[in-house]
Amino acid sequence: MKRSSFSYISKDNRPWGEYFVIHDEKNYKIKRIEVNPSSRLSYQYHNGRAETWIIINGKARVIIDGYSELYEAGDTILIPRKSKHRIENITDEILVFIEIQTGDYFDEDDIIRLEDDYNRLQ
């Protein structure tokens, strides 16, 4: 998928891909997340926020509290605060999803990793 031009506040590269913060307010944050082919994020949870994911491009396997389901473009996934979750790109193209964080704390130090392919456990 060719990335279209879009505005963002900040960008961060991760071992699994990259993310772009596209909006940041006191009570919510919005990110565009791009996951490389055959890569996945940590199995993790957050104390300060819930997340809503909207798949924009690609297909993903999502695990929430041990339950696995497949999703594709147009699907929405709700992740309650403190729910253990992970997303995995199961294709050979970039997986793109929008993440809407709601709650009272959005910093990256609220990622509690339970499993990680890149040795980033706390």
Side-chain angles (χ1 to χ4, degrees):
M1 174 184 178
K2 184 179 182 224
R3 181 181 308 142
S4 59
S5 178
F6 62 93
S7 298
Y8 57 89
I9 298 168
S10 63
K11 172 185 171 183
D12 197 4
N13 293 311
R14 295 295 170 116
W16 44 259
E18 57 191 347
Y19 71 81
F20 304 83
V21 175
I22 55 179
H23 201 82
D24 192 358
E25 295 288 338
K26 181 181 176 184
N27 60 343
Y28 71 97
K29 181 183 275 190
I30 302 174
K31 292 181 177 178
R32 174 189 168 111
I33 300 177
E34 300 182 0
V35 183
N36 294 329
S38 303
S39 295
R40 62 186 183 170
L41 281 65
S42 303
Y43 191 51
Q44 59 186 284
Y45 67 93
H46 312 287
N47 289 312
R49 67 178 181 254
E51 296 176 343
T52 301
W53 294 344
I54 304 167
I55 307 295
I56 302 301
N57 185 75
K59 293 183 181 178
R61 175 177 295 113
V62 175
I63 298 173
I64 301 175
D65 291 328
Y67 179 76
S68 177
E69 193 166 336
L70 299 179
Y71 294 91
E72 59 187 25
D75 290 338
T76 301
I77 303 106
L78 302 176
I79 303 159
R81 187 184 307 221
K82 298 187 179 185
S83 287
K84 299 172 186 86
H85 60 280
R86 161 179 268 164
I87 189 167
E88 176 181 0
N89 184 348
I90 59 172
T91 71
D92 59 359
E93 61 183 45
I94 292 175
L95 169 68
V96 179
F97 66 99
I98 301 299
E99 176 180 272
I100 303 167
Q101 302 174 357
T102 55
D104 52 30
Y105 191 75
F106 308 111
D107 288 350
E108 293 298 301
D109 63 357
D110 188 33
I111 298 173
I112 294 86
R113 292 184 177 95
L114 304 169
E115 296 175 16
D116 184 69
D117 296 343
Y118 312 102
N119 299 314
R120 299 176 300 162
L121 294 178
Q122 297 172 320

